[in-house]
Amino acid sequence: MNDTRSPDIPHETIDLQIADVLASIKYPANKDTLVDAAREAGASNEVLVMLDGLPEQDYDDIDAVTRWVAGNYGPGLGV
């Protein structure tokens, strides 16, 4: 994981929090890596719950994660 955390993540909207967290991760990454990165970045509980709801698998890139998130949490989260 790259250490490019934004100190403003807790104050961002959910879609921006997710985008910032996903951009800071080295891929491929599994669900635990995504959740850990979000937690370390100070993401909101809503973001942690969304990422924790991902299927247990490796994700090849940001698109693989955002397709799942947007498909399950609505079009407003098309990060």
Side-chain angles (χ1 to χ4, degrees), residues 38-78:
R39 187 174 291 115
E40 289 173 14
S44 68
N45 285 336
E46 292 89 350
V47 171
L48 294 173
V49 168
M50 286 179 189
L51 294 176
D52 197 42
L54 289 168
E56 293 281 351
Q57 66 183 47
D58 287 336
Y59 296 89
D60 292 330
D61 53 29
I62 290 174
D63 290 338
V65 180
T66 56
R67 278 191 304 272
W68 191 94
V69 171
N72 286 281
Y73 292 101
L77 292 172

Side-chain angles (χ1 to χ4, degrees), residues 15-27:
D15 56 339
L16 288 177
Q17 288 183 49
I18 294 171
D20 285 347
V21 168
L22 297 181
S24 72
I25 295 171
K26 181 179 177 185
Y27 293 89

Side-chain angles (χ1 to χ4, degrees), residues 4-32:
T4 57
R5 293 179 282 173
S6 169
D8 296 327
I9 282 182
H11 306 289
E12 293 177 339
T13 60
I14 290 173
D15 56 339
L16 288 177
Q17 288 183 49
I18 294 171
D20 285 347
V21 168
L22 297 181
S24 72
I25 295 171
K26 181 179 177 185
Y27 293 89
N30 62 28
K31 177 180 101 166
D32 292 336

